[in-house]
Amino acid sequence: MPNTTHNKAAFIKDLLVWFAQSHRPLPWKDTQDAYIIWLSEIILQQTRVEQGLPYFERFRANYPTVKHLADAPEDEVMRMWEGLGYYSRARNLHATAKLIAYELNGEFPDTFENIRALKGVGDYTAAAIASFAYDLPHAVVDGNVYRVLSRYFGIATPIDTTAGKKQFRALADELLHSKDPATYNQAIMDFGATHCKPKQALCKTCLMQKNCAAFAKKKVYDLPVKSKKLKKITRYFHYLVINEGQDVWLKKRGPGDIWQNLYDFGLIEAPATLTTDELQKTEGWSALFKNTNVDIKSISRPFLQTLTHRKIVAVFIEMNIQKSFQPPDASYIKASRNQLDQYAFPRILNDYLNDNTLELFS
DNA sequence: AACCCGGGGGT
DNA sequence: ACCCCAGGGTT
């Protein structure tokens, strides 16, 4: 690794100059309310600012204090999070709000260690809250920081390894402007997000260009380095849309799989898409409809959803049932078909429910 | 260390 | 089709 001692002071100086001229106003930057800062940081995990912004405004308006959030019903919180993804964030947010409101006397933790101990708060989020809410000297290391530092200092260590994380963490700690850690943290993330972008980096107009190792070696788009590639597995879902008069049976999803605490329908998963004949021979089918007569109305086209490391293929089998359905466990609930907006669904269910070419629940 | 957890937007 | 996003948790 090249000796970068000289460049470190220039990096900090130029970064703060850039920030003073070019930072973007964000609605969670006008406060030092730790609750509001925490809320914004959880929403922004693996989420673009533009995507998270309306969710932030909605949460802040509905839950202006941590107690409002703590006292909200879980289904309501999940519904407000619907569509944002990574739903463990919403579950941890709600659990942590209860903890703060009722175990910590409504007072948000004010040390790095105590913030870091909260559910859903890792190294990045703890450093962000500690610096933004309390001016504590902790450097953030997020995707922006990896990109900016790897390029400027020409570091090709893969960022998704233990050694890489350690190296970038150490550099970030060295660079932290301890007099004003909040401004420094905000500056490096803003710079990465709007100037030193993954693609179409604005090198041409960059005042850091003169000292940027990647620019000098024409390696801007080779950094940062990631070593791991993920494999995508396809899963085949067969959703059983069980209608009983004006009601339809929903199922609350449990732990150990995607979409925990969201709602869907009775589900039979198979290694491939099955015909209705094949479906009725599965164990899942007989377990669900032991002594019940089922009248299959129709089977939908395949709906597709791509997740980070899964591809979901789902077909929806609409059926009427004569006698009352006997659910095998308490995760099944009967819901009125015109009150489905009370439930948070995965995107692929909303795609199905909102497909006007289908005749649902006829 | 490897894997899991979403959905949107850009290229 | 692939990458990235103000990452964190579990095994």
Side-chain angles (χ1 to χ4, degrees), chain A residues 49-335:
Chain A
V49 165
E50 313 83 66
Q51 186 188 0
L53 221 154
Y55 286 85
F56 170 77
E57 298 291 11
R58 200 175 348 157
F59 270 84
R60 184 172 61 174
N62 282 279
Y63 312 125
T65 72
V66 69
K67 189 170 186 311
H68 287 89
L69 179 56
D71 292 342
E74 182 187 75
D75 277 356
E76 182 186 296
V77 175
M78 297 308 292
R79 172 93 175 98
M80 201 158 307
W81 199 274
E82 182 185 33
L84 196 55
Y86 285 142
Y87 296 93
S88 67
R89 292 185 291 172
R91 298 191 300 270
N92 288 333
L93 187 80
H94 196 209
T96 298
K98 287 182 188 293
L99 173 80
I100 294 172
Y102 293 109
E103 311 274 332
L104 304 183
N105 203 19
E107 291 169 24
F108 205 96
D110 60 358
T111 67
F112 177 86
E113 288 69 24
N114 290 344
I115 297 167
R116 177 67 177 79
L118 300 173
K119 280 184 186 173
V121 174
D123 288 336
Y124 161 76
T125 305
I129 297 171
S131 64
F132 295 147
Y134 303 111
D135 289 317
L136 295 172
H138 294 270
V140 294
V141 182
D142 73 336
N144 294 305
V145 174
Y146 282 124
R147 186 169 55 257
V148 171
L149 296 186
S150 67
R151 286 176 176 174
Y152 187 89
F153 294 102
I155 302 169
T157 314
I159 62 173
D160 53 356
T161 61
T162 305
K165 287 178 175 40
K166 194 174 167 187
Q167 183 177 359
F168 283 95
R169 154 68 50 200
L171 179 55
D173 284 340
E174 265 188 84
L175 292 166
L176 182 71
H177 190 61
S178 57
K179 288 257 175 71
D180 191 352
T183 300
Y184 169 81
N185 279 339
Q186 188 59 45
I188 192 167
M189 289 195 289
D190 244 14
F191 179 69
T194 67
H195 204 94
C196 193
K197 298 187 282 189
K199 291 158 187 176
Q200 299 196 352
L202 306 180
C203 301
K204 216 170 174 178
T205 62
C206 186
L207 82 170
M208 324 271 277
Q209 185 204 97
K210 58 185 182 298
N211 290 324
C212 179
F215 183 81
K217 297 176 191 163
K218 301 188 188 303
K219 295 277 188 189
V220 170
Y221 296 111
D222 296 325
L223 295 169
V225 174
K226 287 189 180 176
S227 62
K228 299 175 178 61
K229 49 195 164 203
L230 54 85
K231 46 181 178 183
K232 196 157 290 188
I233 296 171
T234 304
R235 297 176 68 178
Y236 300 88
F237 287 0
H238 306 78
Y239 274 123
L240 309 173
V241 186
I242 305 167
N243 294 301
E244 234 183 274
Q246 297 300 301
D247 298 330
V248 60
W249 283 90
L250 303 179
K251 187 177 194 311
K252 184 169 184 174
R253 294 187 60 84
D257 203 351
I258 58 174
W259 302 325
Q260 188 182 333
N261 289 15
L262 273 63
Y263 290 82
D264 60 1
F265 303 113
L267 171 59
I268 293 175
E269 183 171 0
T273 298
L274 306 178
T275 66
T276 51
D277 283 345
E278 292 168 333
L279 203 56
Q280 294 181 66
K281 291 172 184 155
T282 62
E283 289 184 20
W285 183 282
S286 27
L288 218 47
F289 303 115
K290 239 178 167 48
N291 298 312
T292 322
N293 255 347
V294 178
D295 172 23
I296 296 179
K297 293 277 300 178
S298 65
I299 180 163
S300 77
R301 66 175 170 87
F303 285 75
L304 307 179
Q305 181 175 10
T306 303
L307 284 64
T308 301
H309 57 295
R310 290 287 183 275
K311 184 168 150 186
I312 309 291
V313 181
V315 294
F316 295 82
I317 296 93
E318 297 153 40
M319 55 186 68
N320 291 330
I321 199 159
Q322 311 304 340
K323 290 187 290 185
S324 184
F325 175 62
Q326 300 296 324
D329 61 72
S331 69
Y332 289 83
I333 61 163
K334 199 158 70 168

Side-chain angles (χ1 to χ4, degrees), chain A residues 30 42 85 191 275 324 329 350 357 360:
Chain A
D30 58 0
I42 301 299
F191 179 69
T275 66
S324 184
D329 61 72
N350 279 322
T357 69
L360 303 179

